[in-house]
Amino acid sequence: MPDPNEERLKYLFNAAAIEVPKAEEGQKRKFKGTAYAGGRVDGHWYWGRSGVVFDLDGIEIDKPAALLEEHFSSSRIGVVQTVDTNGKIDVAGDFLTNAKAQEIVQDSDDGFPFQMSMMIDPGSIEEVSQGKTVTVNGQVFEGPITIFRQNRIREFTICSTGADRNTSIKAFSGKANPNPTKEDTDVTELEQTKEALKKAETERDNAQAELKQFKAQKRAEDIAALEAELKTQFSADDKTAYTNMDDSVFAFTAKQLRQFSAGIQQQQPAGQQQQAPLANPAFAHLFTHQASAQSGTQSSGNQEHQLSAGAKAFAAQQKGK
């Protein structure tokens, strides 16, 4: 049975230098860097000189994502706010204000050459044999080469070029550890690595839990703002449905609801009440409860809120695409 710690080390990859530009007065310190340039990554301690290519088609990256200090300490030092996966992986974000983050910022100002690193979790791995070619990220690669497909980025980190040679050289330099001169040295290093990995996984899980809580709080605030703007009250089931929507679906749905809410209130001259043309006929029923209220007809108490029903139907339609 493979060692799970060794398995985890297989998916750690060093990246390019990270930039820490000077901040304007009163603003947070920011960072930016290229986590992956879109080409062949070679010289990795496990995957060898034949190299690995990460397929960016459909890659999953949390937004926002945690920026940690080293893979083996996992101190929270920043938040990745934007990610561009058009042919490469460019990231940018803000540093936190804790002591560790400020220490790294100061070291960078003093000229220390930090680098960015990442852990990638492939859904499948394709081996391309000698003499064959494969097109990935708009580039043609000749075998032998390994292709990571259906990828997910699980973490970004800042690491030093002078990484701890006893415990993390495999992860950061892409080279195998030198041959030990004593048996007890090998055992000690393995125990140190196991302990460090266990601590890193715990702190990473804590950071991801905090990010999840932050996203939930932000969505709750957005739903409350939408209620206030539309002058309506969603039920508990409605709020659950909105909370579980994908970010892009919720943003689009909220935009449509605002447009349709404004459109339904527009009236023809001479007191005629007529709904303004809607951009999408599929939403024609969303505000029927408003029209009924204006004509003096009250909706049944147990009838599902038409606004929410339409939004949830739209979300289900988008999810099935």
Side-chain angles (χ1 to χ4, degrees), residues 14-43:
N14 209 20
I18 188 169
E19 297 180 39
V20 185
K22 298 292 185 181
E24 297 181 7
E25 185 176 356
Q27 294 188 354
K28 293 181 178 180
R29 291 301 298 269
K30 300 182 180 297
F31 62 85
K32 61 181 180 179
T34 300
Y36 174 54
R40 181 192 300 258
V41 179
D42 59 9

Side-chain angles (χ1 to χ4, degrees), residues 277-313:
L278 301 182
N280 187 342
F283 283 92
H285 61 288
L286 287 178
F287 289 91
T288 55
H289 66 293
Q290 291 185 2
S292 298
Q294 293 173 358
S295 63
T297 303
Q298 298 295 328
S299 299
S300 172
N302 60 0
Q303 182 179 10
E304 183 174 12
H305 192 290
Q306 294 298 314
L307 168 65
S308 301
K312 288 189 284 186

Side-chain angles (χ1 to χ4, degrees), residues 65-319:
L67 180 71
L68 310 176
E69 183 222 4
E70 309 282 6
H71 290 285
F72 294 93
S73 67
S74 300
S75 297
R76 299 184 293 276
I77 58 173
V79 178
V80 176
Q81 301 285 8
T82 61
V83 180
D84 181 4
T85 57
N86 185 21
K88 56 183 178 178
I89 302 177
D90 285 334
V91 299
D94 304 319
F95 281 104
L96 300 179
T97 57
N98 60 41
K100 176 54 68 174
Q102 295 306 305
E103 178 184 339
I104 290 176
V105 168
Q106 184 60 55
D107 287 347
S108 177
D109 288 346
D110 291 341
F112 191 87
F114 287 106
Q115 289 187 319
M116 179 171 287
S117 184
M118 65 182 181
M119 180 176 180
I120 189 164
D121 182 15
S124 63
I125 297 176
E126 176 185 345
E127 298 287 349
V128 180
S129 59
Q130 179 77 37
K132 294 186 177 181
T133 61
V134 61
T135 301
V136 185
N137 303 331
Q139 304 179 49
V140 178
F141 301 92
E142 296 183 358
I145 195 170
T146 302
I147 312 297
F148 283 11
R149 306 280 192 185
Q150 300 169 329
N151 298 299
R152 178 183 179 187
I153 302 295
R154 303 184 62 182
E155 64 185 51
F156 293 99
T157 75
I158 287 181
C159 59
S160 60
T161 53
D164 182 353
R165 301 184 65 84
N166 291 325
T167 60
S168 58
I169 192 169
K170 287 184 179 180
F172 300 132
S173 73
K175 300 177 181 178
N177 280 324
N179 294 325
T181 56
K182 297 181 181 179
E183 274 189 337
D184 60 338
T185 301
D186 193 31
V187 174
T188 300
E189 291 178 1
L190 179 59
E191 292 301 322
Q192 290 176 343
T193 301
K194 288 181 177 180
E195 182 179 353
L197 283 171
K198 183 177 180 180
K199 180 180 178 182
E201 290 169 354
T202 299
E203 295 186 358
R204 180 200 65 203
D205 291 343
N206 291 339
Q208 291 176 342
E210 289 185 8
L211 284 171
K212 184 177 180 180
Q213 183 179 4
F214 170 79
K215 290 181 179 180
Q217 181 179 353
K218 180 66 167 57
R219 178 58 60 83
E221 293 173 354
D222 290 343
I223 292 172
L226 188 60
E227 285 182 315
E229 185 174 344
L230 299 180
K231 298 180 181 180
T232 188
Q233 182 68 40
F234 301 137
S235 68
D237 289 341
D238 296 334
K239 291 180 180 180
T240 298
Y242 291 138
T243 299
N244 293 335
M245 283 182 181
D246 177 81
D247 287 346
S248 59
V249 174
F250 178 78
F252 181 77
T253 302
K255 178 181 178 181
Q256 294 293 302
L257 295 181
R258 291 186 179 99
Q259 292 176 348
F260 300 147
S261 177
I264 197 73
Q265 297 176 26
Q266 295 181 9
Q267 300 179 358
Q268 293 287 348
Q272 294 181 356
Q273 293 184 354
Q274 181 173 346
Q275 181 173 326
L278 301 182
N280 187 342
F283 283 92
H285 61 288
L286 287 178
F287 289 91
T288 55
H289 66 293
Q290 291 185 2
S292 298
Q294 293 173 358
S295 63
T297 303
Q298 298 295 328
S299 299
S300 172
N302 60 0
Q303 182 179 10
E304 183 174 12
H305 192 290
Q306 294 298 314
L307 168 65
S308 301
K312 288 189 284 186
F314 173 74
Q317 180 184 27
Q318 293 297 312
K319 185 176 181 181

